Amino acid sequence: METSAEVKELFTGMFALKGKLQQPKFDGAVDYSNKNGSKTKFKYATLAAVEASIRTAAQESKSGIDFQQEVINENNKLSVITLIYHTSGQWIKHGPFDFPNSGSSPQSLGSLATYARRYSLS
């Protein structure tokens, strides 16, 4: 983790944001087979739901907080860097978080990027 030289206003904003932050809606589901072969369903919060929860809390709290994510695909891994910043110019950089990339299709790469961004942001 890296930060700007000053972080007081950023941390004040983060505290305000967390006071309004709600659990994202579990708006996604996936069916899968477990070890004994039976099927089950797993519900989860999608990237859109996680982003919406954070942005709603940021606006309601007037925290001055927002974020960006950078996705890098190289050397058989996909990396995500999450930058959280404040209107004052203060920031925190998380990552890179690396995820192995074994897929070769655009769809598998897109799926991995979404998964990596969701986990990094969460």
Side-chain angles (χ1 to χ4, degrees), residues 108-122:
S108 64
L109 184 59
S111 179
L112 178 59
T114 300
Y115 177 89
R117 289 182 57 216
R118 179 168 47 101
Y119 271 80
S120 178
L121 191 54
S122 296

Side-chain angles (χ1 to χ4, degrees), residues 15-101:
F15 182 78
L17 182 145
K18 287 181 180 181
K20 294 286 187 176
L21 192 60
Q22 298 291 317
Q23 171 69 41
K25 294 178 183 173
F26 282 37
D27 59 343
V30 63
D31 293 323
Y32 67 97
S33 299
N34 57 26
K35 289 181 182 179
N36 65 10
S38 63
K39 299 262 184 194
T40 188
K41 184 173 270 194
F42 176 75
K43 291 186 177 185
Y44 65 96
T46 62
L47 175 60
V50 172
E51 288 177 335
S53 181
I54 294 168
R55 289 208 162 99
T56 297
Q59 291 171 358
E60 288 178 358
S61 66
K62 299 180 179 164
S63 65
I65 299 290
D66 202 359
F67 64 90
Q68 293 181 243
Q69 292 185 292
E70 179 181 7
V71 177
I72 303 159
N73 180 33
E74 61 186 13
N75 300 325
N76 293 324
K77 69 179 178 185
L78 187 133
S79 301
V80 176
I81 298 169
T82 300
L83 181 66
I84 301 168
Y85 54 91
H86 186 262
T87 53
S88 67
Q90 297 173 6
W91 54 270
I92 299 173
K93 177 181 157 185
H94 291 278
F97 297 108
D98 299 330
F99 297 82
N101 180 11

